[in-house]
Amino acid sequence: MVRAAILPAVGSPLEIAEIDLPEPGPGQVRVRLAAAGVCHSDLSLTNGTMRVPVPAVLGHEGAGTVVSVGEGVTHVAPGDGVVLNWAPSCGSCHACTLGEVWLCGNALAGAADVYARRSDGTDLHPGLNVAAFAEETVVAAGCVLPVPDGVPLTDAALLGCAVLTGYGAVHHAARVREGESVAVFGVGGVGLATLQAARIAGAARIVAVDVSPEKEELAGAAGATEYVVASETTAKDIRKLTGGHGVDVAVECVGRAVTIRTAWESTRRGGRTTVVGIGGKDQQVTFNALELFHWGRTLSGCVYGNCDPAVDLPILAEHVRAGRLDLGALVTDRIALDDIPAAFDNMVAGKGGRALVVF
């Protein structure tokens, strides 16, 4: 029996309870969690913006130590430190054959599985495949990647979502070039990772945008050269900062229609706007045909940073070892498992960066 944070139904509060976790079967790995990040996607699961089978144990950004492995697992062994990969690619669907593993059509198939049970025998599903909001979890072998050398195990949890997403949004989706200007909308965990990634890419001007004035220092430490408190004049304010043109690249990390539209309007003619935030179906963004032609901007979505974790994790680790990427700077709260509901409340209120559950 291990303690875990359970979502009993969409719209219900999380429950911290003991669950019966089985030993790993063939092709599975049991992991003792060292840390798990509290991501906005977890909140989106609780309110139905994203849907997975329930009841479920949430948490998809984590790292820990292998406790045991099932038959056929050879790439990790008991005692190894691992990063959880919530979106493992199958290697055979249409997207995978195109090399676009971040769009794998079977990546979340495991979320429908029953992986554990409550003490009363109720079946439990593993959230976004990995059920990281628990002292231990059992996952498919494809959901674990060895922690790269030189990365502390607790900090490595952030590599599993926030950092891969932010880094990939800059380097893979928007393809920021040295000397370009970048605006990042939303200074949460992913936004802070995006700011650091823009700095690593050599962006000359990095504008952070958030509704909270209190996040200015946090954004500056991550690489922002300017800070704009979100308002009805945000796009105008950013154009004013950039000689009237707008930024070369805007990255939206919020997932709201008004923010996406503002990010697009903040981008120069011919610039790129990349949407990372996950919004609901009710968030409708509209454009007229003439402005699409006139501005010549590119608007694109970004899934998991358009990353291949097996390829990108070693690159991120090198940035960590060289001191270019500060994982600890993304974390504003280190909490216990019981504190996750309060961390959700802080996200709704727009407070802080990443909350990290430390076991």
Side-chain angles (χ1 to χ4, degrees):
M1 303 291 286
V2 300
R3 296 179 74 240
I6 301 168
L7 176 66
V10 173
S12 298
L14 292 183
E15 299 175 0
I16 310 299
E18 288 193 335
I19 66 171
D20 185 7
L21 190 67
E23 289 303 309
Q28 293 184 320
V29 180
R30 184 170 180 138
V31 178
R32 180 179 299 112
L33 272 297
V38 182
C39 179
H40 205 279
S41 296
D42 298 307
L43 182 63
S44 296
L45 294 174
T46 69
N47 61 28
T49 299
M50 298 171 62
R51 291 194 173 274
V52 293
V54 289
V57 174
L58 301 186
H60 64 279
E61 179 183 87
T65 303
V66 175
V67 176
S68 55
V69 300
E71 182 183 353
V73 178
T74 58
H75 72 296
V76 294
D80 288 350
V82 292
V83 176
L84 297 181
N85 173 19
W86 63 270
S89 55
C90 70
S92 58
C93 70
H94 182 63
C96 286
T97 59
L98 294 175
E100 298 173 349
V101 298
W102 53 90
L103 298 178
C104 175
N106 300 309
L108 292 179
D113 295 342
V114 172
Y115 94 113
R117 289 178 172 81
R118 298 193 70 150
S119 56
D120 63 2
T122 302
D123 291 342
L124 292 171
H125 302 281
L128 292 178
N129 281 327
V130 297
F133 288 167
E135 294 169 330
E136 296 186 10
T137 187
V138 172
V139 300
C143 290
V144 296
L145 295 167
V147 171
D149 292 339
V151 180
L153 186 58
T154 300
D155 290 348
L158 301 164
L159 297 175
C161 183
V163 178
L164 275 172
T165 300
Y167 172 85
V170 168
H171 291 267
H172 299 322
R175 299 183 182 274
V176 174
R177 298 182 288 265
E178 186 174 359
E180 288 192 312
S181 54
V182 178
V184 177
F185 288 74
V187 185
V190 173
L192 288 169
T194 304
L195 289 169
Q196 289 204 43
R199 175 174 46 76
I200 290 170
R205 168 164 274 154
I206 305 172
V207 184
V209 183
D210 198 276
V211 296
S212 173
E214 289 76 23
K215 291 186 180 182
E216 182 172 2
E217 184 176 350
L218 197 63
T225 58
E226 280 93 12
Y227 191 81
V228 173
V229 178
S231 70
E232 292 182 355
T233 64
T234 294
K236 291 181 179 179
D237 295 339
I238 292 176
R239 288 198 297 272
K240 187 176 179 180
L241 287 171
T242 53
H245 304 294
V247 290
D248 297 300
V249 171
V251 182
E252 199 273 358
C253 303
V254 181
R256 295 181 63 231
V258 65
T259 317
I260 294 169
R261 176 73 202 198
T262 302
W264 191 78
E265 291 176 356
S266 301
T267 309
R268 68 166 174 82
R269 195 175 187 189
R272 292 101 70 201
T273 303
T274 297
V275 179
V276 174
I278 301 172
K281 293 179 180 179
D282 60 324
Q283 296 293 312
Q284 298 291 317
V285 189
T286 60
F287 306 90
N288 67 61
L290 180 60
E291 64 180 332
L292 289 174
F293 160 76
H294 172 75
W295 289 104
R297 296 165 175 147
T298 300
L299 176 67
S300 63
C302 176
V303 178
Y304 205 7
N306 293 10
C307 280
D308 180 344
V311 173
D312 288 303
L313 279 181
I315 296 171
L316 292 172
E318 179 54 35
H319 287 308
V320 172
R321 290 191 291 267
R324 293 183 292 266
L325 178 59
D326 184 355
L327 298 178
L330 306 181
V331 180
T332 53
D333 297 283
R334 294 179 184 268
I335 64 175
L337 188 67
D338 300 82
D339 300 321
I340 294 175
F344 279 4
D345 292 339
N346 285 337
M347 278 195 291
V348 172
K351 296 179 180 178
R354 202 44 136 218
L356 189 68
V357 181
V358 180
F359 294 90

